[in-house]
Amino acid sequence: RPSGMRDPFLLHVGDQYCLYYTWKTHVMVCTAKSPVAQTWSEPTIARTEPRGAQSPTVVQIGNWFYLFTMGPSDAYKTDVYASLDPLDFRLGKGELVGTLPVSAAEVVRVENRWYISSLIPKRNRAGKITGHNGVRVAPLAWRNGRGN
């Protein structure tokens, strides 16, 4: 485990498990045949964010994979990248398909409905984010396009 590893997220894809996590300015990914495997592949860079990467979440719709990754904590935004390769969202492989005004997003599907969570920002009088006031959850609608 590299020093500074944060925000792990596990996704089952085909016959393997992908473990995404943040490390410095990168979203890293490693794979294994079982979520309790003792042996994981060497980590590779799935995406680099020059200003920092946090809270990676990946979902699959059809053949497309969507990486939700938050930038710096003070930015309060999450970028969404689409890729046909769940291990590679880098420039040339992953396409920025949206930016959402959410922080530390988690995306879940319940039956045929999608939802997204976000931390609720706590702001001081100047409008600067100073913490969080809980979590909110909202329906997430996918527009026609990549994977739909």
Side-chain angles (χ1 to χ4, degrees), residues 87-121:
L87 306 180
D88 194 352
F89 294 86
R90 292 175 297 169
L91 189 61
K93 293 279 189 166
E95 174 185 348
L96 179 65
V97 294
T99 299
L100 305 173
V102 297
S103 178
E106 297 290 340
V107 179
V108 295
R109 184 172 140 181
V110 179
E111 296 177 1
N112 290 327
R113 293 182 151 168
W114 289 90
Y115 298 90
I116 188 167
S117 67
S118 176
L119 295 174
I120 300 169

Side-chain angles (χ1 to χ4, degrees), residues 7-144:
D7 307 329
F9 179 83
L10 187 67
L11 178 69
H12 185 224
V13 179
D15 67 346
Q16 69 182 353
Y17 289 83
C18 299
L19 178 64
Y20 301 88
Y21 61 92
T22 56
W23 179 67
K24 297 184 180 181
T25 61
H26 309 293
V27 174
M28 306 296 289
V29 63
C30 53
T31 62
K33 294 293 181 184
S34 164
V36 293
Q38 296 298 314
T39 305
W40 287 79
S41 69
E42 285 296 314
T44 59
I45 296 173
R47 179 85 200 163
T48 297
E49 294 294 331
R51 291 193 60 220
Q54 298 184 66
S55 303
T57 297
V58 178
V59 298
Q60 181 179 3
I61 298 179
N63 293 327
W64 287 93
F65 296 87
Y66 296 87
L67 168 65
F68 292 71
T69 183
M70 181 180 132
S73 296
D74 63 348
Y76 199 78
K77 71 178 185 77
T78 295
D79 290 329
V80 184
Y81 296 91
S83 176
L84 290 169
D85 183 350
L87 306 180
D88 194 352
F89 294 86
R90 292 175 297 169
L91 189 61
K93 293 279 189 166
E95 174 185 348
L96 179 65
V97 294
T99 299
L100 305 173
V102 297
S103 178
E106 297 290 340
V107 179
V108 295
R109 184 172 140 181
V110 179
E111 296 177 1
N112 290 327
R113 293 182 151 168
W114 289 90
Y115 298 90
I116 188 167
S117 67
S118 176
L119 295 174
I120 300 169
K122 179 177 167 183
R123 299 180 188 270
N124 64 17
R125 291 177 190 214
K128 182 177 178 175
I129 296 172
T130 60
H132 303 288
N133 282 327
V135 176
R136 63 182 170 187
V137 177
L140 177 65
W142 295 91
R143 294 184 182 158
N144 287 337

